[in-house]
Amino acid sequence: MAVPTIPEFLKEHVVESKTGLLTTHVEESEGKLYLELPAPGDDGLVGEYLFVSGIRTGLGSNDVGLDRGKLGPSKVVQIKQASGKVIFYSPNLDYRAISRNPNEARAVQESFAPAILWATKPVARNEDGASLIDLTAYLVRDAHGVVRTLAGSNQGAFSLDKERSLLLTDECLSFPDNLEFEAALTFSSKSPGSFVRQTAADASAVVIHQHQSIVALPDDEYEPREFDPRMGFFNLEFADYATPIHKPLERRWIVRHRLQKDEDADDNSVIEPIVYYLDPGVPQPVRSALLDGAGWWAEAFEAAGFKDAYRVEMLPPGAHPLDTRYNVIQWVHRATRGWSYGGSVVDPRTGEIIKGHVSLGSLRVRQDRLIFEGLFGAQDTGKGLPNDPVALSLARIRQLGAHEVGHTLGMAHNFAASTYGRESVMDYPSPLIEIVNGKLDGSNVYDVGIGEWDKLAIRWGYGELTEGKELLELEAMVQESKDKGYVFLSDQDARSPGAAEPRAALWDNGSDSVESLRNTMAVRALSLANFGPNRLPSDLPSSQLHEVFVPVYLHHRYQVEAAVKTVGGVLYSHSLEGDGRARPQAVAAPQQDRAIDALLDCLDPEFLAIPAHITPLLTPPAYGYGGGRERFSSKVSPAFDLLAPARAGAQLVLDGLLNTQRLARLDYQAADDALIPSVDGVLERLTRKVFETRSEPAAQGAIRSEVQHLLVNDLMRVTQNGSAPIGVRSKARAA
């Protein structure tokens, strides 16, 4: 059957045509979108673009992770004509040959498998080869991997219900450099999981609005910058088979925005500033706090030698948050509190950031307010006084806004920055609560403004370099960082339960984690002593005090996790061979002993006990409120389990001290240095602390019994852990 020309086809269909990067034709009555493609070249190539997927609407479940505004991966896609079809072809950019020799490049391309993402026959074709395709099936498909995400979070076997899915033709937009498409997709299941049942209007038919973009690829004026593991940027990694034999095969370029000075200006102005747009759905006073905090990065770019290179504004009316022309800070709601994160649309060829997209969980600021009400009381909430929980929570949201924008500027976490003066918003900051004249003081709760590490990192990643001296100037900035005592340590150094570097910790404070633990223990003790009904707003049931009590009781949690890294700890920094950095070395014996003493004090029944004046306040849940994940579990439900907090607090310490990787390091260190506590010695001190006999109140005796059982069970687990060295297992068995 003869294929009509494009004008003939369009004459027979009632369409709305839009010109942009490519011309689109929407047939509203049929819910279809046709994409008009120019004639291909001799090689069949129609064009090369960036394809991006995301979801505009979410499920509202932190546990599942299908959040409003979440971005999927970006791919370079070549649209080609071949064998009577139009194909969307994705080259394999993980393996390349950056060479002027086309045969060398082709050898690599033919060695690793690419992908054909989609193929279709044109519905119309002109004599010159220009074609028209029905893009509807491509747009109304599970491009974001919703089915895979639901299955991976144990929420059941879902499938795309095509009969209840449709293209949202009013949301298909055309612009000179990008096309934006949206579809409402229905995912059905006969046995949906609990998180879906909790959040969806109908758990058997979940509707997600999926967004897809076709974007013009950036020009070749962007200059990639080589990655350096010492300076804290994310990286794009690929294998370059054109590198000389004596050079590494792997290439790494940092991920960052394009920023260029205007050569016609004499005041360091830039050609195009980096602008972030705040979601107008953010309410006041959070909106003002985020505009302030996210705007802190302007100072870093000013310090890097750029004028007016960065700013934050409100998202213009009618602008789509997933439109690739906008860097967006989006406000995301979920049924339970959860992560905030910063993602980006990145050109996979070069590492250039096309679009930054921050997702801020709205419940974080409420949880912070609850924490501060537990520490200071609810009587001053919203009054603007020095320890006002709302004001303190807004101080945190300013820092959070800066932190997540930092990720979308290309910056990784720096979990060591808290050890040299809170010099990076890319750390996770613990609220710094101090005791002044016998009272808790939150006047210095969070730092204000961008840190000195952040300024130096932005200068290293974005600053303009002198031609021919690039490597020298970059290395000079790395040396400047070293001279100032800055250390960069990130997720791989901090998150593992067996992590070794004591400076790499989440939610900690201070250069000495043991001293900070002692301070945090004192703050916790004073807060528990003052804990009472005034920690809860008067319009809530008294049973809700339980949720306020939990973070107060566990106020020392993260400082325990920081201090335990001193035991069997190893001091190191990321380095390049020959850069003069110190080799890894064990933490000194006296520091390890101090840490063990402080951690053992956290197992003392007196420390773990709930003060007597608090226990009558922890009542069963009020009618209509029920329990929840923000409470301690109870073996005597619905009553409050007086031993549950002690079990949780003791387990924090035991999990850290009895981590098999930590014990193995300790064993090796003690064999090399007799002053370092041995595994036998640590286990002997631990068992003596837990099993010591002394006169104590009955409640503390019950706690001691609980901790004893926990310790025995954990020691048994160590003996049965096949990955632990045999020496460690035998010493645990002896203990």
Side-chain angles (χ1 to χ4, degrees):
M1 182 177 178
V3 176
T5 65
I6 296 175
E8 290 172 341
F9 181 90
L10 296 177
K11 187 177 180 180
E12 297 297 323
H13 296 75
V14 178
V15 299
E16 179 186 1
S17 301
K18 299 178 181 179
T19 57
L21 176 65
L22 296 168
T23 300
T24 61
H25 307 278
V26 172
E27 189 174 15
E28 173 65 31
S29 62
E30 297 295 324
K32 290 188 174 184
L33 183 139
Y34 302 100
L35 183 66
E36 188 171 331
L37 301 172
D42 294 339
D43 58 357
L45 180 65
V46 173
E48 190 172 28
Y49 308 93
L50 193 66
F51 278 37
V52 185
S53 70
I55 51 175
R56 181 175 186 177
T57 67
L59 179 64
S61 170
N62 181 68
D63 303 272
V64 177
L66 292 171
D67 291 327
R68 172 193 187 217
K70 188 170 186 179
L71 292 171
S74 48
K75 293 179 177 293
V76 170
V77 175
Q78 298 169 351
I79 301 179
K80 296 181 176 182
Q81 284 193 16
S83 300
K85 289 186 174 183
V86 171
I87 63 172
F88 288 3
Y89 177 90
S90 180
N92 192 338
L93 296 177
D94 291 336
Y95 305 94
R96 317 179 193 178
I98 301 179
S99 170
R100 295 180 180 179
N101 182 347
N103 293 315
E104 191 175 4
R106 186 172 65 252
V108 177
Q109 292 167 4
E110 294 177 355
S111 296
F112 298 96
I116 294 179
L117 303 178
W118 189 66
T120 189
K121 285 183 173 288
V123 296
R125 182 184 286 115
N126 291 344
E127 289 185 4
D128 65 357
S131 60
L132 188 71
I133 60 172
D134 183 350
L135 195 63
T136 311
Y138 182 82
L139 300 176
V140 187
R141 66 188 180 99
D142 184 16
H144 193 73
V146 171
V147 168
R148 182 176 63 252
T149 300
L150 289 167
S153 53
N154 297 315
Q155 295 308 297
F158 280 80
S159 60
L160 178 63
D161 187 336
K162 295 183 179 179
E163 292 299 317
R164 288 186 284 178
S165 300
L166 64 151
L167 184 69
L168 299 174
T169 54
D170 289 344
E171 299 290 342
C172 294
L173 310 174
S174 298
F175 305 102
D177 293 322
N178 57 303
L179 304 176
E180 308 292 336
F181 309 105
E182 201 148 303
L185 306 182
T186 298
F187 298 92
S188 60
S189 174
K190 294 181 179 179
S191 56
S194 60
F195 298 138
V196 179
R197 294 197 304 272
Q198 179 188 13
T199 55
D202 183 342
S204 65
V206 177
V207 177
I208 299 287
H209 287 201
Q210 177 179 267
H211 192 91
Q212 295 188 73
S213 306
I214 300 178
V215 185
L217 286 172
D219 60 36
D220 57 5
E221 294 296 315
Y222 175 83
E223 185 69 32
R225 184 160 293 181
E226 295 289 341
F227 172 75
D228 190 313
R230 301 168 293 180
M231 292 307 296
F233 271 77
F234 296 129
N235 71 91
L236 171 76
E237 181 179 348
F238 60 94
D240 180 5
Y241 285 82
T243 56
I245 295 174
H246 67 283
K247 293 286 188 180
L249 185 68
E250 295 78 16
R251 296 285 301 275
R252 294 174 177 87
W253 291 333
I254 67 169
V255 171
R256 59 174 181 165
H257 290 269
R258 181 183 304 207
L259 193 62
Q260 296 173 303
K261 289 182 180 177
D262 186 349
E263 295 181 356
D264 295 330
D266 56 5
D267 60 354
N268 292 330
S269 297
V270 298
I271 297 173
E272 186 175 353
I274 300 170
V275 183
Y276 275 74
Y277 296 93
L278 182 62
D279 186 344
V282 181
Q284 289 286 19
V286 177
R287 176 185 296 186
S288 295
L290 286 175
L291 286 171
D292 181 16
W296 290 348
W297 286 103
E299 183 181 355
F301 285 99
E302 190 80 23
F306 299 100
K307 181 181 179 182
D308 299 329
Y310 172 91
R311 65 178 186 268
V312 182
E313 302 175 355
M314 294 303 299
L315 188 66
H320 197 299
L322 291 179
D323 187 332
T324 49
R325 296 176 299 167
Y326 299 99
N327 303 302
V328 173
I329 304 168
Q330 196 163 26
W331 195 236
V332 177
H333 300 288
R334 307 185 185 98
T336 57
R337 64 186 175 92
W339 302 108
S340 297
Y341 48 86
S344 301
V345 175
V346 176
D347 184 346
R349 304 171 306 165
T350 64
E352 179 183 358
I353 295 175
I354 309 301
K355 168 188 172 63
H357 194 99
V358 171
S359 296
L360 295 177
S362 66
L363 295 186
R364 174 68 68 88
V365 68
R366 296 177 184 272
Q367 181 69 13
D368 287 334
R369 189 216 73 230
L370 179 145
I371 290 171
F372 292 124
E373 286 178 344
L375 291 169
F376 297 106
Q379 67 277 355
D380 292 335
T381 297
K383 295 182 179 179
L385 298 174
N387 288 337
D388 176 358
V390 169
L392 299 179
S393 301
L394 293 174
R396 168 68 183 117
I397 206 72
R398 289 185 186 91
Q399 199 280 340
L400 179 63
H403 176 97
E404 300 302 345
V405 167
H407 283 319
T408 69
L409 295 172
M411 303 270 290
H413 290 132
N414 185 356
F415 289 131
S418 58
T419 65
Y420 47 88
R422 303 202 287 185
E423 289 298 354
S424 176
V425 298
M426 301 314 298
D427 203 339
Y428 279 3
S430 176
L432 181 58
I433 310 298
E434 299 170 301
I435 299 176
V436 178
N437 297 324
K439 295 182 179 180
L440 297 182
D441 177 33
S443 60
N444 193 31
V445 63
Y446 295 114
D447 205 7
V448 177
I450 220 73
E452 292 302 316
W453 161 262
D454 303 319
K455 293 178 186 177
L456 180 55
I458 287 292
R459 179 154 52 95
W460 180 91
Y462 282 86
E464 290 202 334
L465 304 172
T466 305
E467 187 174 355
K469 297 182 179 180
E470 293 91 345
L471 294 179
L472 289 174
E473 291 176 353
L474 290 171
E475 188 60 32
M477 284 183 264
V478 175
Q479 184 62 41
E480 179 184 345
S481 170
K482 179 185 174 184
D483 293 343
K484 291 181 175 179
Y486 299 161
V487 177
F488 167 71
L489 297 165
S490 198
D491 295 73
Q492 69 185 48
D493 310 295
R495 289 193 182 273
S496 168
E501 232 296 356
R503 293 172 295 184
L506 287 63
W507 309 113
D508 67 323
N509 271 314
S511 59
D512 185 331
S513 62
V514 179
E515 180 183 355
S516 294
L517 175 57
R518 293 290 189 188
N519 293 338
T520 303
M521 292 165 68
V523 169
R524 174 185 179 274
L526 184 55
S527 184
L528 287 173
N530 294 332
F531 192 87
N534 70 335
R535 266 44 185 169
L536 191 70
S538 58
D539 57 349
L540 289 176
S542 57
S543 63
Q544 296 304 103
L545 266 174
H546 186 162
E547 296 188 6
V548 183
F549 172 72
V550 172
V552 172
Y553 183 88
L554 295 177
H555 182 68
H556 64 306
R557 169 189 173 183
Y558 292 106
Q559 206 62 54
V560 164
E561 293 181 359
V564 80
K565 293 176 182 178
T566 299
V567 182
V570 179
L571 298 171
Y572 63 85
S573 59
H574 302 301
S575 61
L576 299 184
E577 187 57 41
D579 69 0
R581 303 223 173 191
R583 299 296 185 184
Q585 58 183 352
V587 173
Q591 291 175 266
Q592 297 204 35
D593 276 317
R594 288 176 58 237
I596 294 167
D597 287 341
L599 292 163
L600 293 182
D601 285 346
C602 293
L603 292 176
D604 195 302
E606 186 176 359
F607 177 83
L608 293 172
I610 303 172
H613 73 280
I614 295 178
T615 55
L617 305 176
L618 302 173
T619 60
Y623 174 74
Y625 280 77
R629 64 175 68 192
E630 304 292 349
R631 295 167 173 252
F632 288 116
S633 61
S634 176
K635 294 182 178 181
V636 294
S637 182
F640 183 86
D641 186 342
L642 296 176
L643 295 176
R647 285 193 293 267
Q651 199 65 64
L652 288 174
V653 178
L654 295 177
D655 284 347
L657 281 177
L658 297 181
N659 177 274
T660 54
Q661 293 170 292
R662 190 172 318 286
L663 292 176
R665 287 197 304 271
L666 200 60
D667 207 29
Y668 299 152
Q669 290 177 3
D672 189 57
D673 181 351
L675 295 178
I676 287 179
S678 66
V679 172
D680 303 86
V682 171
L683 296 182
E684 192 276 330
R685 290 162 69 178
L686 177 57
T687 53
R688 185 173 68 244
K689 177 72 174 181
V690 172
F691 281 90
E692 68 179 324
T693 302
R694 67 184 187 190
S695 177
E696 55 196 0
Q700 293 182 22
I703 290 173
R704 182 176 297 280
S705 180
E706 288 285 332
V707 178
Q708 289 170 355
H709 279 83
L710 292 175
L711 173 57
V712 171
N713 288 333
D714 285 354
L715 286 171
M716 291 172 64
R717 275 194 285 271
V718 173
T719 68
Q720 297 164 7
N721 188 333
S723 64
I726 189 64
V728 168
R729 292 162 62 188
S730 65
K731 291 168 185 174
R733 185 175 296 110

